Amino acid sequence: MKLYSRHLLGLEGVTEEEITLILDTTETFREIIERPIKKVPTLRGITVLNLFYEPSTRTRISFELAEKRLSADSISFTPATSSVKKGETLKDTVRNIEAMKIDMVVVRHSSSGVPYFLTQCVNSNIINAGDGTHEHPTQALLDMFTIRRKYKKLKGLRVVMVGDIKHSRVVRSNIWGLKTMGASVALCGPSTLLPFEVERFGVDVYSDLDKAIDGADVVNIMRIQLERQQAGMFPSQREYTNLFGITKERLSLLNKNYTIMHPGPMNRGVEITNEVADSDSSVILEQVTNGQAVRMAVLYLLSGKKEEEE
Amino acid sequence: MKVSGFNMVIKGGLVIDPAIGFGNEADLFIKDGKITKIVKSGEISQRDIAAIPTESIIPAEGKLIAPGFIDMHVHLREPGREDEETIMTGCQAAAAGGYTSVCCMPNTNPAIDNQETVKFVLSRAEHSDARVFVIGAITKALKGEELSEIGDLVKAGAVAISDDGNFVQNPEIMRRALEYARMFDIPIISHAEDKFLCDGGVMNESFESTRLGLKGRPAVGEEIAVLRDIKLCDFTGGRLHIAHVSTVGAVKAIRQAKSEGVNVTAEACPHHFSLTDDEIGKEFNTNLRVNPPIRTQKDVEAIIEGLIDGTIDCISSDHAPHAEEEKDVEFDQAPPGMIGLETTLGLVKMNLIDKGYLSWADAITKMSFNPARILKLPGGTLEIGSPADITIIDAERKWTVRKDNFHSKSKNSPFIGWKLSGRVDCTILGGRIVYKSK
């Protein structure tokens, strides 16, 4: 079994077999990062560029560490220290860097579609580390890995994602992945933050949190950004928290052995209370650890894949 | 019948002139840049035909002869962005697309909001391959704040006013513009998209924008703008023309207004009846980015419906050249717009005529006669005495849109690679051949 594509642009269209392969491979790397010496020679001689046009702490560090632990040569590049400010186009930037013989590019960008665009500009393998509000496939993979590890399955589970659905690439990737793997997906957020015809993803859509989480196994909580309030998406943080904040009292509606997730960074006291974030059901830090292993698996599975193998 | 005293005869084509209700195979005679005679085939004796010098004859057997097309909505980019298009190259593209007249929008740099810029454009167009008519700005610098010197613009030759690209957001300004323009009997062409509802949007708001995570421009943003302008038009007694209609609701609003006698006309563009927004996600092709955006199948059907029942008077291209490097970027960073002068005919033929929605006479009405009527331009008909602006169409000719074959200086077409049917055989401007297909 191999991945069909030489890039990971999103989870839309990725098959159950491919996702299973990635998650199974992740198990191996998950074991490796628990070792005293967390380094394997798998990607020796491979050069990876981390191209982060948007600020990111956790995803960038996670990729960088994954690359180092696979013995790849990696460099990171952020617009603040590049010629982007001088008006060089994205295409030129990435082609210039590729001319230095790069094998793989991990890209984060505020514009949806940039990873696809890069596949048209350069020959490297492209891994999407988040594009606009489109997809963030490695985050969804690590979420699925985390869930699968706990429940030993994904099929038949009920996963609810709560918060700013409209602007979340994490939600979109999770929808594709979870549905492909046979989970049931529900979304919940203020009606202003539910994008147009979102139910056409084949998901249940709610604006009543209690109804949304009733009978769910997993609640994955999305960060709410203050700018959304200024844009008129909801009247105040206080009202948001009252309507959509995840509190301990509400959790009784969930199935036994429920799980609380958050892709970070968290606004404690806004979308999630301290108590919930730090509870035994919270796997938020486990997600971060698993993220490492998932990214190692993706880098490994894509590395060296050439055009003709597609 | 005797024939003499002409410079050119177009022989044996099927002449279609909806304005005079003519639709026969005929020979068309031209002298001094004007149409002097139309004679049904067979009505001239063999001897007289033999007397016509061969070099004066343009054989057109099996072709359609139409009054030269008039595009009410093009961007020629001069002055300001001569790297994207010049008046000369834009007119070459027009000629290649069968257009003998184009009306250029004022969003140049500087904007066409003053007499001098109108004069500049007209002077640059003096020897071009198409007639150029200028659309002046409604407001200074197209800012939507203060009226341009509309009287001056008209005096210099402007045939309409528009802030195309921008909606005149302030209803008070739009009211005064409609009132003021009434004095000159010129239409105001409205780019109807509410700024607050549409700003920042890069594609139609639909499940596709949801799926792709791209910010949407909702149909309602266009529809409330159309409705507002119709109300203001009705109230002021001005003349309103709605540019590039793209939604179900906008078509409905215009149909209703027309039935109530409001002085409103409208146009639609080929991309709005040929493309749907689900194309975007395939490759994030920035040439699909346009304002108003390409929308859904339902909208496409409504536009076709509007073209059929006359709600939509004109087909215009909204030819909008952009430099390749500006389009070769992230989807949401690309400027909106696509070129269209050279593909409109093929798209009209393939998507409207071949499917039985419009007859050739209907299409020619919308591409020539109606624009002439709305803007009071010469042409739009082949009546005796009219300028010899003529488009000869090879109706069944199949061709493939190729980037290298565009006459336009810019190549930003989403139709590159499309196989079309119907193309221009020859374009004649004032009795002069300005384009001949190979």
Side-chain angles (χ1 to χ4, degrees):
Chain A
M1 175 68 207
K2 279 180 180 173
L3 297 182
Y4 291 114
S5 172
R6 52 189 286 260
H7 309 292
L8 180 66
L9 306 181
L11 291 189
E12 183 181 2
V14 178
T15 64
E16 186 180 346
E17 294 71 34
E18 290 176 286
I19 292 174
T20 304
L21 172 67
I22 296 169
L23 300 185
D24 290 349
T25 310
T26 303
E27 292 287 357
T28 313
F29 289 109
R30 184 68 182 78
E31 182 266 315
I32 288 168
I33 57 177
E34 293 296 342
R35 292 179 192 170
I37 294 168
K38 303 171 179 59
K39 192 155 175 151
V40 288
T42 318
L43 291 195
R44 204 156 61 193
I46 300 282
T47 310
V48 187
L49 165 66
N50 300 302
L51 189 60
F52 277 69
Y53 278 86
E54 243 189 12
S56 156
T57 313
R58 136 189 17 224
T59 305
R60 186 169 54 84
I61 291 175
S62 180
F63 267 108
E64 284 175 0
L65 275 174
E67 289 147 12
K68 288 186 199 313
R69 287 173 177 172
L70 290 167
S71 305
D73 297 313
S74 77
I75 48 160
S76 293
F77 161 85
T78 54
T81 57
S82 75
S83 53
V84 171
K85 295 242 151 103
K86 286 183 243 156
E88 188 177 56
T89 64
L90 172 62
K91 183 176 182 173
D92 280 333
T93 302
V94 72
R95 288 176 75 177
N96 271 282
I97 295 172
E98 196 190 50
M100 298 177 206
K101 305 297 172 197
I102 299 288
D103 302 296
M104 308 179 84
V105 177
V106 175
V107 63
R108 153 83 51 109
H109 199 288
S110 58
S111 296
S112 299
V114 160
Y116 176 85
F117 178 72
L118 292 189
T119 66
Q120 305 301 297
C121 303
V122 294
N123 293 318
S124 309
N125 308 94
I126 306 294
I127 298 172
N128 183 1
D131 63 326
T133 53
H134 180 219
E135 286 228 39
H136 191 354
T138 58
Q139 177 69 45
L141 287 165
L142 76 87
D143 289 346
M144 287 192 283
F145 179 81
T146 307
I147 298 168
R148 195 182 81 158
R149 248 196 154 200
K150 175 161 168 183
Y151 297 96
K152 311 293 172 221
K153 62 171 185 180
L154 286 162
K155 205 180 180 74
L157 293 175
R158 175 76 160 175
V159 180
V160 187
M161 288 178 273
V162 180
D164 183 353
I165 306 300
K166 189 182 174 91
H167 300 97
S168 177
R169 52 194 172 209
V170 176
V171 168
R172 283 170 179 78
S173 287
N174 262 296
I175 292 171
W176 295 120
L178 287 165
K179 285 189 57 71
T180 301
M181 299 308 287
S184 141
V185 179
L187 307 176
C188 179
S191 38
T192 45
L193 290 172
L194 296 169
F196 196 83
E197 293 182 346
V198 67
E199 65 286 350
R200 283 179 58 188
F201 278 119
V203 295
D204 300 318
V205 183
Y206 300 89
S207 283
D208 178 333
L209 183 60
D210 292 340
K211 281 192 186 140
I213 63 175
D214 191 10
D217 300 293
V218 178
V219 181
N220 197 350
I221 304 160
M222 301 300 140
R223 171 184 169 80
I224 189 82
Q225 290 181 313
L226 194 61
E227 304 95 90
R228 307 296 175 211
Q229 186 246 315
Q230 288 152 353
M233 299 290 184
F234 56 91
S236 68
Q237 190 178 297
R238 176 179 165 274
E239 181 153 310
Y240 182 86
T241 303
N242 286 341
L243 291 171
F244 298 100
I246 304 289
T247 58
K248 195 172 171 233
E249 296 70 53
R250 289 189 132 133
L251 299 177
S252 62
L253 292 160
L254 292 164
N255 287 344
K256 267 188 202 148
N257 196 26
Y258 64 81
T259 303
I260 299 295
M261 303 176 79
H262 195 302
M266 277 187 284
N267 295 306
R268 288 175 182 262
V270 182
E271 69 257 9
I272 185 168
T273 61
N274 255 343
E275 208 176 10
V276 174
D278 301 331
S279 68
D280 291 343
S281 307
S282 162
V283 294
I284 293 168
L285 291 174
E286 180 66 19
Q287 283 174 271
V288 178
T289 312
N290 292 341
Q292 278 265 303
V294 159
R295 284 162 185 135
M296 289 170 83
V298 168
L299 285 160
Y300 162 70
L301 289 168
L302 292 178
S303 71
K305 271 180 82 84
K306 298 270 187 305
E307 209 91 62
E308 58 274 14
E309 290 179 39
E310 271 190 36
Chain B
M1 185 183 292
K2 273 273 176 216
V3 284
S4 61
F6 55 83
N7 315 120
M8 185 188 273
V9 54
I10 301 168
K11 201 171 158 296
L14 175 60
V15 177
I16 302 179
D17 183 2
I20 55 173
F22 194 85
N24 288 295
E25 282 181 5
D27 302 327
L28 202 139
F29 294 80
I30 295 164
K31 182 169 190 262
D32 298 335
K34 293 208 182 324
I35 294 165
T36 52
K37 200 191 291 273
I38 304 178
V39 186
K40 279 191 197 170
S41 294
E43 290 186 3
I44 306 175
S45 74
Q46 285 304 317
R47 203 180 51 139
D48 283 340
I49 289 173
I52 299 170
T54 345
E55 63 273 18
S56 313
I57 299 178
I58 298 181
E61 287 83 4
K63 310 279 194 312
L64 305 180
I65 314 297
F69 300 154
I70 299 171
D71 196 335
M72 289 185 65
H73 194 145
V74 304
H75 298 270
L76 294 179
R77 302 289 185 233
E78 186 178 354
R81 286 304 302 265
E82 292 83 353
D83 61 315
E84 295 181 327
E85 195 81 282
T86 63
I87 290 164
M88 194 184 76
T89 60
C91 289
Q92 285 165 354
Y99 290 94
T100 52
S101 293
V102 294
C103 303
C104 61
M105 285 294 177
N107 60 339
T108 46
N109 185 18
I112 311 177
D113 62 358
N114 62 82
Q115 213 173 34
E116 284 314 308
T117 314
V118 177
K119 286 180 188 163
F120 170 80
V121 170
L122 291 176
S123 73
R124 298 286 290 160
E126 265 168 24
H127 303 290
S128 60
D129 289 346
R131 297 178 205 279
V132 174
F133 296 94
V134 173
I135 297 166
I138 303 171
T139 63
K140 288 176 187 152
L142 287 80
K143 281 185 172 165
E145 291 163 3
E146 288 172 68
L147 293 185
S148 316
E149 291 178 328
I150 296 166
D152 251 20
L153 291 170
V154 172
K155 203 170 155 198
V159 295
I161 50 171
S162 178
D163 275 2
D164 187 56
N166 298 324
F167 179 57
V168 179
Q169 189 68 42
N170 183 336
E172 167 69 7
I173 301 285
M174 189 60 173
R175 172 197 171 162
R176 298 304 172 201
L178 280 158
E179 281 175 345
Y180 195 80
R182 221 172 48 192
M183 292 194 291
F184 312 101
D185 195 23
I186 53 163
I188 295 196
I189 303 175
S190 172
H191 179 127
E193 277 194 297
D194 184 87
K195 183 171 164 277
F196 295 105
L197 285 167
C198 298
D199 247 20
V202 298
M203 69 175 289
N204 183 40
E205 182 166 335
S206 65
F207 178 64
E208 286 304 307
S209 63
T210 294
R211 186 171 76 88
L212 301 173
L214 287 169
K215 189 158 191 287
R217 302 174 84 86
V220 69
E222 176 171 336
E223 288 157 4
I224 68 164
V226 168
L227 285 163
R228 186 205 74 174
D229 282 355
I230 284 171
K231 277 285 167 204
L232 288 172
C233 173
D234 191 24
F235 175 66
T236 57
R239 287 176 62 197
L240 176 68
H241 177 82
I242 306 290
H244 40 49
V245 173
S246 80
T247 79
V248 174
V251 175
K252 207 167 138 190
I254 296 161
R255 182 178 293 130
Q256 173 74 18
K258 283 187 161 187
S259 77
E260 291 168 5
V262 180
N263 200 354
V264 59
T265 53
E267 69 188 30
C269 304
H271 45 274
H272 289 131
F273 60 71
S274 304
L275 295 166
T276 46
D277 60 5
D278 52 340
E279 291 292 318
I280 291 169
K282 292 177 187 164
E283 335 194 270
F284 293 91
N285 180 352
T286 55
N287 289 333
L288 292 166
R289 187 171 170 208
V290 61
N291 293 341
I294 55 172
R295 302 207 191 255
T296 67
Q297 190 53 36
K298 278 195 178 122
D299 297 297
V300 167
E301 286 162 15
I303 287 160
I304 292 171
E305 197 63 38
L307 285 163
I308 294 170
D309 74 7
T311 300
I312 299 171
D313 305 86
C314 309
I315 296 167
S316 59
S317 71
D318 193 3
H319 180 80
H322 285 293
E324 194 163 8
E325 65 271 18
E326 286 183 15
K327 279 286 194 182
D328 199 8
V329 296
E330 300 88 321
F331 188 84
D332 58 6
Q333 301 299 309
M338 57 180 79
I339 56 169
L341 279 166
E342 294 170 76
T343 47
T344 297
L345 176 64
L347 292 165
V348 166
K349 164 68 168 43
M350 203 172 73
N351 291 331
L352 301 177
I353 294 172
D354 284 352
K355 291 184 181 166
Y357 300 130
L358 296 186
S359 65
W360 272 108
D362 296 334
I364 291 163
T365 302
K366 290 177 197 298
M367 294 176 73
S368 182
F369 177 66
N370 282 349
R373 181 178 54 89
I374 291 166
L375 297 174
K376 299 189 170 74
L377 306 181
T381 172
L382 299 170
E383 215 174 356
I384 309 302
S386 306
D389 292 359
I390 298 160
T391 304
I392 305 177
I393 303 161
D394 195 346
E396 299 307 322
R397 179 151 165 207
K398 308 272 186 290
W399 62 292
T400 303
V401 182
R402 296 201 194 286
K403 189 175 164 185
D404 294 340
N405 292 349
F406 283 121
H407 294 72
S408 174
K409 213 166 176 181
S410 291
K411 317 292 172 194
N412 53 307
S413 168
F415 301 112
I416 291 167
W418 281 41
K419 289 181 173 43
L420 301 181
S421 163
R423 72 176 288 170
V424 177
D425 177 65
C426 182
T427 308
I428 297 165
L429 174 69
R432 175 170 70 97
I433 295 174
V434 286
Y435 174 78
K436 180 79 185 88
S437 92
K438 281 168 205 146

